[in-house]
Amino acid sequence: MPEILLQYQDEIWRSIGETMVMVGVSIAAAILVGLPVGTLLYLCRKGQIYENPVVFSTLNLVVNIIRSFPFLLLVVFLIPFTRLVIGTAIGTAAATVPLSIIAIAHYSRLVEQSLLDVPRGVVEAAISMGASGKDIIFKFLYVEARSGLVLGLTTSIISFISYSTIMGVVGGGGIGDFAIRYGYQQFKTDLMMYMILVMIILVQLIQFTGTTIARKIDKR
Amino acid sequence: MISLHNVSKNFAGFQAVRSVNLTIPQSEIHGIIGASGAGKSTLLRLMNLLELPDTGEVVVNGQPLTSLKERKLRQARMSIGMIFQQFHLVLNKTVYENVDVSLKLGGMPKAQRQKRVMECLQFVGLENLKDKYPAQLSGGQKQRVAIARALANKPQVLLCDEPTSSLDPDTTIGILGILEDINKNFGVTIVLVSHEMDVIQSICHRVTVMADGGIYDTVSIKPKGISKVSSDPRNFFEQLKKGGEADDA
C-alpha cells in the first residue's frame, strides 16, 4: 500500500462513503420516481394506451429543461429548493437533492426509450387478452423491456457517479471532491491518480455487473 | 356469435371500413378474404375493439362491446381469443408463462392455472417445450403457443389475423388442422382473415369477400379440406409440368 494512501486513509474512506450515499440516493430516486415518470412518458405518447398530449408535452418539456442545464448550474439554481427540503444547502444530504432531480430526468428518458423498443404487437396481444393498464405495464412491458431497463440504469448510475464528483461545490464531498482538493489543489498528483483509479475500477465493476445481468435476463 | 351493424373506421382520411353489416353465427368458421388494404384486418380488429369504430355497433357473444365500460370490455375480451401473423408472444416469457399470463389476467388460482396451461399446451402438442423461450421455437411452434394462449380462457370466439401468412405450407396445414379441431371440439366461432384462397377454402363454412373497405359478398362454401392445401413443392412442380405438356400438345 503506497504511503500516501495510508496517510489519507480516513479521508479516503469517508469520501468513498459520501460518494456511495450520493449515488445510492440517486439510484433510489431513479428507480422510485424515474421509472414511473419514464413509463408515463411512454404511455402518454401519441398512439399509446393512455395517449394524452398535455401530460406528455408537459413531462417531456420538464425532463428536457432539467437535462439542458449544465449540471453545475442546476446545483446552484436548486439551492433555494434544497434549503426548503433539507433545511440546508450545504453537505452530503443537501447534495442528494440536485443529484436526485437529474437522476430522475436522466433515467426516465432511458426508460421511455427501452419501452419504445417493445414491439407494438405485444401490447395489442395483451389488450386482446383483456389486460388492464396495470397488467400491460407489469406483466408485458416491463417483462419485455427488462434488459433495456437494466442497461439504462447501468448507464445512468455511471453518470450519477460523474455528477457526484462536482458536489464539492456545495460541500457534498465524495471521491471527486477529495481528488480535486487533496490531489489537484495540493499538488499531490499521485493521490489524484489513485482516486481516478478508484473511479475507473468502480465504473468497470458497475458496467460489468449491469451488462452481465442484462444479458442473463434477455431471452429475446 | 358476432354481429356488426353499420360499422365504419377511418384512419386519418383513409376509409378502411365503410358501413359494414355482418353476422357470424356461433360455431361457424368464417373466412374474410380480400386484397391488401381492402380492410379485412381492420374489420377483424373491430370485432374485439382493438380498433374503435367511428360509427356502428359491435355485438359479440350477446354483449354490445361498443357500449361496454372499460372493465366489462376487458372481461368480454377474455372470451374473444386472438392470434396474429407475427404471433406477438412475450419473448422474455417461456412457452408455459406465455399461456399462463392470460389466465393470470382473469385472476385464476395457481393450481387451476397449472392444470389449464398444460391442457392447452397438450392440445397444441407443445407440452414438451413448455420451458423453452419463443426464440428457441420455429414459426409454427410459436403460432401454436399463441393459439394455446388464446384458448386458455375458453373463448367462444377466436379471431385469426393472417395466422398462416408467415408460415411454410406444411406448417400452415398443421395450424389449420388445429383451428378446425378447436371449432369441432369446442364449438368456437372462428373468424379467419387471409389473402390466401387455398387457406380460406380449406376450412371455412362461409366466406366474406372485401374490397375498398366494404363487403363485396358473403357466400357459403363447402370446406375443401386441409389436404387440398398443397404442402409439397413437388405437387406444384407436377402441376407446372402438366401445364407444360398441355401447352406442347
Side-chain angles (χ1 to χ4, degrees), chain A residues 55-76:
Chain A
V55 175
F56 176 78
S57 321
T58 312
L59 274 182
N60 195 43
L61 184 69
V62 171
V63 167
N64 276 346
I65 289 176
I66 294 172
R67 301 201 59 200
S68 317
F69 271 89
F71 185 60
L72 187 55
L73 280 184
L74 183 71
V75 174
V76 176

Side-chain angles (χ1 to χ4, degrees), chain A residues 174-195:
Chain A
I175 309 173
D177 180 50
F178 176 80
I180 289 170
R181 283 195 297 123
Y182 289 76
Y184 177 66
Q185 289 170 350
Q186 296 185 18
F187 307 106
K188 298 191 180 78
T189 310
D190 51 346
L191 190 59
M192 187 177 81
M193 287 305 178
Y194 284 125
M195 289 303 103

Side-chain angles (χ1 to χ4, degrees), chain A residues 124 127 139 143-144 219, chain B residues 45 77 90-93:
Chain A
E124 284 189 347
I127 295 172
K139 296 195 169 81
V143 175
E144 208 63 338
K219 309 293 181 185
Chain B
R45 293 159 61 86
R77 278 176 173 148
V90 181
L91 301 182
N92 277 334
K93 286 186 194 287

Side-chain angles (χ1 to χ4, degrees), chain A residues 50 119-133 135-136 138-147 217-220, chain B residues 45 48-51 70 73-75 77-78 80-82 84 87-93 98 101-102 104-105 133-135 149 153:
Chain A
Y50 292 131
R120 267 202 74 79
V122 171
V123 177
E124 284 189 347
I127 295 172
S128 78
M129 278 184 252
S132 65
D135 290 328
I136 293 174
F138 289 99
K139 296 195 169 81
F140 293 86
L141 284 172
Y142 285 172
V143 175
E144 208 63 338
R146 63 191 185 190
S147 59
I217 60 176
D218 189 5
K219 309 293 181 185
R220 292 172 298 169
Chain B
R45 293 159 61 86
N48 64 354
L49 256 52
L50 215 47
E51 302 292 352
E70 152 101 33
L73 175 61
R74 277 193 269 121
Q75 272 170 6
R77 278 176 173 148
M78 289 186 187
I80 310 172
M82 188 168 195
F84 307 83
F87 327 122
H88 298 335
L89 299 174
V90 181
L91 301 182
N92 277 334
K93 286 186 194 287
N98 264 287
V101 74
S102 68
K104 274 188 181 166
L105 298 177
Y133 286 92
R149 176 173 78 174
N153 280 311

Side-chain angles (χ1 to χ4, degrees), chain A residues 20-30 96-97 99-100 103:
Chain A
M20 292 300 159
V21 169
M22 290 190 285
V23 174
V25 172
S26 307
I27 294 171
T96 61
V97 173
L99 278 170
S100 296

Side-chain angles (χ1 to χ4, degrees), chain B residues 55-215:
Chain B
T55 67
E57 194 189 20
V58 179
V59 183
V60 181
N61 305 328
Q63 288 189 291
L65 299 189
T66 27
S67 39
L68 290 182
K69 290 261 188 296
E70 152 101 33
R71 243 180 92 88
K72 289 273 178 200
L73 175 61
R74 277 193 269 121
Q75 272 170 6
R77 278 176 173 148
M78 289 186 187
S79 338
I80 310 172
M82 188 168 195
I83 60 172
F84 307 83
Q85 179 176 357
Q86 295 303 331
F87 327 122
H88 298 335
L89 299 174
V90 181
L91 301 182
N92 277 334
K93 286 186 194 287
T94 63
V95 166
Y96 182 95
E97 290 165 344
N98 264 287
V99 180
D100 191 41
V101 74
S102 68
L103 295 171
K104 274 188 181 166
L105 298 177
M108 188 186 277
K110 191 171 180 191
Q112 266 174 277
R113 290 205 318 263
Q114 256 170 351
K115 189 163 161 283
R116 182 63 188 152
V117 172
M118 289 318 290
E119 269 171 21
C120 292
L121 287 178
Q122 269 156 18
F123 182 78
V124 298
L126 289 182
E127 67 272 27
N128 295 328
L129 298 179
K130 70 181 174 71
D131 296 322
K132 297 277 183 199
Y133 286 92
Q136 298 166 291
L137 305 180
S138 69
Q141 288 169 334
K142 285 182 210 172
Q143 195 60 289
R144 283 164 192 254
V145 178
I147 291 173
R149 176 173 78 174
L151 280 185
N153 280 311
K154 302 191 176 169
Q156 290 168 270
V157 170
L158 181 60
L159 307 176
C160 310
D161 192 0
E162 302 269 9
T164 61
S165 299
S166 53
L167 304 176
D168 66 55
D170 259 339
T171 317
T172 297
I173 290 179
I175 296 297
L176 291 174
I178 292 175
L179 295 181
E180 199 170 41
D181 284 348
I182 291 169
N183 174 259
K184 280 193 183 136
N185 297 346
F186 313 124
V188 173
T189 312
I190 293 181
V191 188
L192 175 59
V193 165
S194 180
H195 63 270
E196 295 166 299
M197 203 58 211
D198 259 2
V199 167
I200 295 287
Q201 281 179 311
S202 65
I203 61 169
C204 293
H205 307 135
R206 274 205 311 159
V207 179
T208 289
V209 181
M210 285 192 79
D212 290 331
I215 289 183

Side-chain angles (χ1 to χ4, degrees), chain A residues 38-212:
Chain A
T39 308
L40 203 58
L41 268 170
Y42 166 83
L43 294 173
C44 294
R45 250 173 191 270
K46 192 168 162 49
Q48 304 295 347
I49 55 172
Y50 292 131
E51 179 175 336
N52 185 326
V54 177
V55 175
F56 176 78
S57 321
T58 312
L59 274 182
N60 195 43
L61 184 69
V62 171
V63 167
N64 276 346
I65 289 176
I66 294 172
R67 301 201 59 200
S68 317
F69 271 89
F71 185 60
L72 187 55
L73 280 184
L74 183 71
V75 174
V76 176
F77 176 81
L78 284 174
I79 283 176
F81 176 71
T82 305
R83 200 171 279 140
L84 196 74
V85 177
I86 305 283
T88 170
I90 305 295
T92 307
T96 61
V97 173
L99 278 170
S100 296
I101 289 185
I102 193 71
I104 291 164
H106 196 274
Y107 190 50
S108 63
R109 198 53 99 192
L110 298 182
V111 168
E112 182 197 18
Q113 279 167 19
S114 300
L115 295 177
L116 283 170
D117 282 340
V118 176
R120 267 202 74 79
V122 171
V123 177
E124 284 189 347
I127 295 172
S128 78
M129 278 184 252
S132 65
K134 192 178 135 213
D135 290 328
I136 293 174
I137 296 167
F138 289 99
K139 296 195 169 81
F140 293 86
L141 284 172
Y142 285 172
V143 175
E144 208 63 338
R146 63 191 185 190
S147 59
L149 294 174
V150 169
L151 282 178
L153 187 62
T154 309
T155 305
S156 285
I157 293 173
I158 290 169
S159 299
F160 303 162
I161 294 177
S162 175
Y163 288 135
S164 78
T165 56
I166 65 154
M167 294 318 293
V169 292
V170 290
I175 309 173
D177 180 50
F178 176 80
I180 289 170
R181 283 195 297 123
Y182 289 76
Y184 177 66
Q185 289 170 350
Q186 296 185 18
F187 307 106
K188 298 191 180 78
T189 310
D190 51 346
L191 190 59
M192 187 177 81
M193 287 305 178
Y194 284 125
M195 289 303 103
I196 291 171
L197 198 64
V198 169
M199 306 277 282
I200 290 174
I201 292 168
L202 195 58
V203 169
Q204 292 290 337
L205 269 177
I206 289 166
Q207 187 65 58
F208 175 78
T209 310
T211 312
T212 308

